[in-house]
Amino acid sequence: MKHILQELLNPFVLASVFIAVLLYSGIIHIQSRSPYTAALEQQAVYSLNGKLCSNPVKTSNGTWYRCSVTLYSVCSENGIESEASGKVSVFLPAEDVESLYPMKLHARLNTESMLFESGALIQCTVRWSENTQGFFVSGIQSVSFGKTLTDRLAYLRGKLRLSFKRLMCSWGSAGALILSLLSGSREYTDSETSHAFRNAGLSHILALSGMHLSFFSSLAGTSVGKLFGKRHLFVPRAGAIFLFVLFAGLSPSLLRALLCSLIMLVSQKVFCSRLSFLQVLSAVFLLHIVLRPDDCHEIAFILSYLSLVGILLLSDLIQLFLVRIFPQKLASPLAASVGAQTATGPVSLSVFGCITPVGIISTVIVSPLISMFLTLAIFAIIISLCFPFCAEILGSILNACFCCIMFFVKLFAAFPAITF
């Protein structure tokens, strides 16, 4: 308890708590760094020209894909054109975004230019929606990539993500889960699987988060450490982190995990010691708000920080009671799960109207299975790329593992949630 109080009195921790109270109580408001700016009102915009600055994410109804667009110009229906700036939410029709995706009913041929990925230039006709505070696309004139080095790299990244989707599609349900875990794309995750994970309190596993970043950092560190020793872990761990974020995209929870991981890695490299993670998390919270202030209103941002705060502040105290009932190896992850659920519970109740207490147990059991599944998937992908004739056999093995995971997920999903 004394150690916790000392950490809470740290300047970074006090500053982050102070800012969080002011921010989420409504005393202060953080304005968007990239607001819509143009001579035309948003309601009068008929067409826009800009660049995708995020990967399209499928909406819950499956009809649209939501993404952010950096504006260059806008035009009214009667031809009045205006330069524009800022970032806006744009909803793209699913049949256009999925035109290159394999095994989609509306996939079309000869649409290589229709690659909707971050960095793509887009011209389209739109209509403004007050309810969603975004533009719904009614027609697309062009989607292309520029000629600069940055644009070329964005195009290469988009093609790699598309090729990865095609490989994962051939692996069926297992491939759909791998695709969701590694790239955040849920186009092939069926509704039954999504509902089972949500009802089992495991939605955080499907969402890109620090768990995935830690997995790749640990995998790279373990592999290199066995070959070259522990003194050479900084470069492979940092490289694995950057490559994963570059491929998957920078969601609020991934940015938080990236900043925390880099600070911890640099401190170990420069000072040969580990910093207090609560202090690092507090510093990252302040830095995150400065770098991307719009993220602070995202539910993923709030839950990501709250879950870690709950683990750091409550898990040790909870573990003191659990070790009397369970073995140490089981009491520790249970305590962490209880801490995370306790901290995020009030937010989940206010936003979703329910909480899933079974998630405390399901996380402890399913998370290690997911880590083993991901490890096997990484090696299967590498082997399949080197020896394509092995892909079918490896896909069968991965689907068997997927069935095992889904057995436990559906088992825990059968427990009722607490609804208010």
Side-chain angles (χ1 to χ4, degrees), residues 65-388:
Y65 278 76
R66 180 180 180 273
C67 67
S68 296
V69 172
T70 301
L71 291 176
Y72 295 153
S73 64
V74 293
C75 184
S76 67
E77 191 170 5
N78 56 10
I80 300 175
E81 190 170 354
S82 168
E83 291 187 355
S85 62
K87 294 180 180 179
V88 295
S89 293
V90 173
F91 293 85
L92 302 163
E95 58 266 24
D96 289 312
V97 177
E98 296 176 351
S99 61
L100 292 177
Y101 294 178
M103 295 183 68
K104 291 293 181 179
L105 293 178
H106 40 255
R108 299 191 292 268
L109 300 176
N110 302 320
T111 55
E112 283 299 322
S113 62
M114 302 285 280
L115 181 59
F116 294 87
E117 289 286 344
S118 179
L121 303 172
I122 184 171
Q123 291 181 330
C124 56
T125 54
V126 296
R127 58 178 176 82
W128 172 253
S129 170
E130 287 288 347
N131 291 334
T132 60
Q133 291 294 297
F135 293 97
F136 281 81
V137 174
S138 55
I140 298 174
Q141 284 71 57
S142 67
V143 178
S144 61
F145 286 81
K147 304 298 183 182
T148 66
L149 178 60
T150 304
D151 293 331
R152 292 291 187 183
L153 290 175
Y155 178 72
L156 176 61
R157 172 185 177 273
K159 295 292 286 185
L160 287 174
R161 283 172 58 89
L162 179 60
S163 299
F164 182 66
K165 288 178 182 179
R166 288 173 173 168
L167 173 61
M168 293 302 99
C169 182
S170 67
W171 284 348
S173 298
L177 180 58
I178 296 169
L179 184 63
S180 178
L181 294 173
L182 296 185
S183 68
S185 301
R186 302 187 188 180
E187 293 85 2
Y188 296 96
T189 305
D190 58 67
S191 58
E192 182 183 0
T193 300
S194 298
H195 290 156
F197 270 87
R198 182 171 64 250
N199 295 337
L202 298 168
S203 296
H204 60 282
I205 289 180
L206 293 182
L208 292 176
S209 64
M211 183 192 81
H212 303 81
L213 207 65
S214 299
F215 168 79
F216 280 95
S217 177
S218 301
L219 184 63
T222 302
S223 302
V224 175
K226 291 182 178 180
L227 294 174
F228 303 103
K230 294 184 178 180
R231 291 187 298 177
H232 305 283
L233 296 183
F234 177 80
V235 173
R237 281 187 169 178
I241 289 171
F242 277 115
L243 286 176
F244 177 70
V245 170
L246 179 64
F247 181 77
L250 207 55
S251 64
S253 54
L254 270 189
L255 178 57
R256 188 269 307 159
L258 174 64
L259 294 174
C260 287
S261 298
L262 289 179
I263 292 175
M264 298 297 284
L265 285 174
V266 170
S267 69
Q268 287 181 277
K269 182 68 175 179
V270 177
F271 303 108
C272 299
S273 62
R274 292 179 64 88
L275 300 175
S276 163
F277 194 77
L278 180 61
Q279 296 174 19
V280 171
L281 183 66
S282 301
V284 166
F285 173 79
L286 299 173
L287 181 60
H288 195 155
I289 291 178
V290 172
L291 293 176
R292 291 204 340 200
D294 293 342
D295 284 356
C296 68
H297 301 296
E298 297 282 344
I299 186 63
F301 174 95
I302 299 171
L303 293 178
S304 176
Y305 281 95
L306 277 180
S307 61
L308 280 177
V309 169
I311 292 172
L312 294 171
L313 294 181
L314 303 176
S315 62
D316 287 342
L317 295 176
I318 297 170
Q319 188 173 338
L320 293 176
F321 296 96
L322 293 181
V323 290
R324 301 174 183 177
I325 306 172
F326 304 101
Q328 176 66 35
K329 290 185 177 180
L330 181 58
S332 180
L334 270 176
S337 187
V338 172
Q341 288 271 348
T342 303
T344 59
V347 175
S348 297
L349 279 176
S350 62
V351 175
F352 306 114
C354 67
I355 55 175
T356 50
V358 73
I360 295 173
I361 302 173
S362 62
T363 298
V364 175
I365 295 176
V366 176
S367 289
L369 295 177
I370 290 291
S371 296
M372 290 187 287
F373 177 74
L374 268 180
T375 304
L376 179 60
I378 295 299
F379 286 107
I381 292 169
I382 295 173
I383 294 172
S384 297
L385 293 175
C386 297
F387 308 101

